[in-house]
Amino acid sequence: FIFAVCNFMSHEKCLKNVKIPCSCIAPSLVRVPVAHCFGPPGHYKRKFCTVCRKSLESPAFRCEVCELHVHTDCILFACSDCRQCHQDGHQDHDTYHHHWREGNLSSSARCEVCKKTCGSSEVLSGMRCEWCGILAHAACYIIVTPECTFGRLRNMILPPSCVQLFSRNFSKLHCFRISEHLQTESDEDDDVDGSTQGSAKDVQISTDSSKQTLKIFDGNDAVKRNQFRLISVPRIAKNEEVVEAALRAYYINDDQQEYELQTFTQQALLSDDVINRNDAAEDSNLGSVFRESVPEAWIIRAKPKDEEVIRIYPAWLKVGMAYVSLRVNKDSTTQTVIKEVLPLLGRQMECLQNFKLVEVLMGSKQVQRMVLDNQELILNRLKDIRKTSIRQMNQTRFYIVENSKSIVQVNLFVGGLPPQLSPEEYTNILKDELAIKTNVVSVSHVYQAQGAVVLKISCFSEAERIYMLVKDTTVNDKPLNAVVIPEVVASKIPRNCCPLLVFVNPKSGGLKGRDLLYSFRKLLNPHQVFELTNGGPLPGFHTFSKVPSFRVLVCGGDGTVGWVLGALEEIRHKLVCSEPSVAILPLGTGNDLGRVLRWGAGYSGEDPYSILVSVDEADDVLMDRWTILLDAEEPAEGAENGVAEPEPPKIVQMNNYCGLGIDAELSLDFHHAREEEPGKFNSRFHNKGVYVKVGLQKISHTRNLHRDIKLQVDQHEVELPSIEGLIFINIPSWGSGADLWGSESDNRFEKPRIDDGLLEVVGVTGVVHMGQVQGGFRSGIRIAQGSYFRVTLLKPIPVQVDGEPWIQAPGQIIISAAGPKVHMLKKSKQKQKKTGS
C-alpha cells in the first residue's frame, strides 16, 4: 500500500504495526512548537524529504539544528518540531524527552531495542533521537524510556534548561549566530520556488490526455503570493473528487464535505480586487469540473459552520501533550472559552482575569504568537484564519496561558568600537550612531581592550532595530558587528557537566569548516558553537563567562588557535573558569601545534562524533606562551608631509615559533600570493605547492643575516654562525611537522618540552637547508636555549610569528614568557571505547 497524501509505503500484513504519523497530522503531535533554522538550499545525496518522503533529487533545504530535510515546495508544510535548545519563557521545563526524527540514517544503523538494522538508503526509515543519538525502528522506539540523558556526550553538551534566550521575532539564524551571506535570496525566492518546482513535478503526472492539471490556491495569502499547488484529475472528475485531491495536495485530512472549490480566472488573478471578485463567486453552483473552458485556477474554501470543536492546550503543563476539546458556537468569545476551559483543567476557583488565550501559528520557519482580545468571537477568528490559508489553520493552536509579568531581556554583543574607552563614552557613541533609548537599553559589560560592549535591552522592537542598524554602521571607518547571545544560568548546570565551547573558522580547510559547523550544531547545543567570522572569539567567551567549568575546541589553523588563545588571555580575569583546557581540530596548512598534541596533520573528514569523544578523553597538558615586544628605533617609511615618526612599540603573542630572515621571507611571499588570489588557496596540497614555488625562486638567494642582527640570550651575547634564517621554537614541530631542533642528545642543552619555560634558537643556512630539514635529512643549527631574548635589527628584516609575516624596521625585539602557562588538551593514545551510538 502507498498512502496518497505523504507517499508512505507498507506491506498489507504490516499495516497494523504502522506507528509513523502522516504529514497531515504531524502538527497536532508537536509537544513544544520550535521553528526550524533553514540554511541556503543545496544538493543532498541519499537524503529524503520529511514531508513527502521522496528522494531529494533537486536543491532542497535542511535545518541547521536538526536532521530535517525538505524539498523547496514542501517547506511550508513542515511543522515546527525542531529541537528546543533554550528556554524562552514558553513551556520551559527541566526534564527533556527524546526528540525523534525519522529516516536519513546510514544503512548500517542498528536499532537500540532489537539490535537489527534500522537504516536505509532507499527509503525514509528508522528513528533517531537528535539529542542522544539513539537509533530505533519505528515500531521499537515507542518502547524506549521517554526521558533523554543526552547519551555519550552528556558531559560536553550545554543542557538546554541552562540557556535562556528571549528572541521573539529574531530569525533562528540570528539566534544561533549563523552567517546570512549565503541566505540572501532564499527567503525571497521561497514563494516562486514553491510554485514552479511543484509545477514541474506534477505536470509530469498529467501527460495523459484524459487528465487535466489544475492550479489550486488554499486562501487569500496564497493568491497574493501567487503560491499554488498543481493537481492532476480526470477531465470528467466530479467536484468532490477535485476537492479531495486539492486537500491532499495541501496535506489536509479533513472531511472533503466541509470544503468547496471556487473558480478563479486569470483576469481575477491579475485584478487588485481579487478577493472581492472571489467572494462574489461563493454562491455559484460548481457541479462537475468538466466543462468546455476550464478555469485557469481554483481556490479551496471552508464552508461556514454554526459551531465546531476546538482544542485548547494548557501552556503550564511541563510534560505531555494534553489538551481539552471544547465546542464553540457563534456567540463564543475568548472570555467565555476561558471560563469553560478552566473547570475542565481543575482551575475553576481562579479568576478569569489571570488567564489569556493565545493563538499560535506553528510555521516551519517561525512560531508566531498572538494574544486574542477577550471579546473576540472564536468562530469568526477561525473563519478568518481559514480564509487566509487552510494550510495555516492546520498549523494553528490555541493555548490558555497564565498572565505573568514576563521580563524581556535581550543580550546584544556589539563589536568594532574604538578600544580603551569608558562605559560613558561607549554609551555616547551608541546614542550618536544608533540613537539607542537609554530607558530600555543599558551597557551591561564593557570589553575596553577589544572595543566591544554587551547591551541589555528590555524591549524586543528596540533590540531588533539596533541589530539591523548595526550592520550598516561604521565608527572611525570600521564597521560594527552585532551578535545575539544567550544567557547561561550557571546554577542549573549539573555538577559533572563540563560543556565544550566550540570555535570554528569556516575559512580554514576549504569547505570543511562549514561542514563541521553543521555537524557540531547537531551533535551539541547550537548555543555552544561559535563561528569566528561572526564577531570573533569574544562572544563565545562572554557567553561562557559564568560557567564554573568548561573546555574549548578550536577548529582552524595555527593562526586561528593563536587568535583564540590571545582572546582567552585578555578576558581570563573575567571568567569564572579562568583556565579552560583547549583542544585543536587542525584545519590549516601547517598545523604544527595540532601535530604536537596528537590531533593530526590536518582534518581529513573524520567522524565529528568520534572527534568529540576524543576531546572528552584527552589529557590535560601545560604549554608555554611567549610575549614578543617589537620596538622600532627608526622612523616608518611613507610618513605624511615628509615628517617621519617612529613606529609605536607593538606586542604580539607567540605559541609555536618566531622566524627572522629567509623563513619569514617565504611566508611573506606566500601571504602576498594568497592576498592576490584568495579563491585558489582552499586546499593544503595547493598551499604547499605555492610554498615550494616561492622557495625555488629564493634558492640562489644569499643573505648574511648574522651580520644584520645581534642576539642576546639571558643577558649574554651570543655569536651567530653564518646563517640566512634565525628561528625561535616553542614546540617540536616546524614548517608542517619538521623537527628543526633534532633528536640528537647534546650536553649543552636540556631536552626541549612545551612546558619547560625555555625557547630553543635554531639557524638555517638557506632554502636548501630548510628543504633538507623538512625532508628529515638534516636538522637546524642549534644556537641557544633560554627564557629571555633580545634581538637587535640593524636593517629592515622579514619577521613571522606563527605564520603571520611582515617587514620589521630596525630596532629591538624582546621575547619573554607570557604570564601563566596555558592548559591544552593532548589526544590520548588509548583507543576510544565503543560507547554511545
Side-chain angles (χ1 to χ4, degrees), residues 126-157:
M127 307 292 289
R128 176 182 180 272
C129 172
E130 295 184 311
W131 279 116
C132 66
I134 189 174
L135 308 172
H137 288 103
C140 296
Y141 85 100
I142 54 174
I143 306 172
V144 179
T145 307
E147 187 173 332
C148 181
T149 60
F150 298 118
R152 170 67 180 82
L153 305 177
R154 69 178 69 90
N155 293 334
M156 309 177 74
I157 291 177

Side-chain angles (χ1 to χ4, degrees), residues 293-434:
S293 57
V294 178
E296 290 276 341
W298 299 76
I299 184 167
I300 187 166
R301 296 286 193 191
K303 294 179 181 177
K305 299 178 182 179
D306 292 329
E307 62 177 23
E308 62 179 292
V309 176
I310 63 171
R311 293 175 176 180
I312 306 292
Y313 294 79
W316 56 80
L317 285 186
K318 304 298 184 186
V319 181
M321 255 297 301
Y323 59 86
V324 293
S325 297
L326 193 69
R327 187 174 295 276
V328 295
N329 55 39
K330 60 183 179 179
D331 298 321
S332 298
T333 64
T334 300
Q335 195 164 18
T336 60
V337 166
I338 295 174
K339 186 176 181 179
E340 292 178 43
V341 165
L342 287 178
L344 300 176
L345 298 171
R347 297 286 191 102
Q348 60 271 22
M349 303 301 291
E350 300 194 33
C351 180
L352 294 182
Q353 279 69 37
N354 293 337
F355 297 89
K356 58 188 175 185
L357 195 64
V358 179
E359 176 190 311
V360 178
L361 173 59
M362 306 185 298
S364 60
K365 292 182 177 181
Q366 191 174 24
V367 176
Q368 299 178 13
R369 294 176 173 87
M370 184 178 74
V371 179
L372 298 182
D373 184 81
N374 281 340
Q375 302 307 316
E376 182 154 13
L377 294 171
I378 299 300
L379 274 186
N380 285 353
R381 183 62 198 149
L382 295 176
K383 182 181 177 181
D384 290 344
I385 297 172
R386 291 193 176 103
K387 199 169 183 178
T388 301
S389 170
I390 290 174
R391 169 187 60 80
Q392 288 186 15
M393 186 65 234
N394 199 37
Q395 297 176 337
T396 299
R397 276 185 188 174
F398 295 96
Y399 281 89
I400 184 166
V401 180
E402 290 181 277
N403 280 324
S404 60
K405 290 184 178 180
S406 57
I407 301 173
V408 175
Q409 181 179 311
V410 179
N411 295 315
L412 201 61
F413 176 94
V414 178
L417 295 164
Q420 306 300 344
L421 300 183
S422 66
E424 293 75 20
E425 289 174 310
Y426 284 124
T427 303
N428 291 333
I429 289 177
L430 295 174
K431 280 182 184 178
D432 296 339
E433 300 292 340
L434 305 177

Side-chain angles (χ1 to χ4, degrees), residues 622-688:
L622 293 173
M623 185 183 78
D624 299 323
R625 294 189 77 232
W626 300 83
T627 296
I628 302 179
L629 174 66
L630 303 154
D631 188 5
E633 293 177 351
E634 288 193 5
E637 294 182 6
E640 295 183 8
N641 303 323
V643 179
E645 295 183 1
E647 291 183 0
K650 184 169 70 170
I651 296 177
V652 296
Q653 303 293 326
M654 183 188 92
N655 301 307
N656 299 355
Y657 39 73
C658 168
L660 291 79
I662 187 64
D663 167 52
E665 200 169 339
L666 296 184
S667 293
L668 193 61
D669 289 348
F670 174 84
H671 183 72
H672 290 327
R674 184 164 56 181
E675 282 187 335
E676 288 176 5
E677 297 179 290
K680 292 184 177 181
F681 289 75
N682 53 12
S683 73
R684 294 189 194 95
F685 183 78
H686 178 269
N687 293 355
K688 290 181 179 179

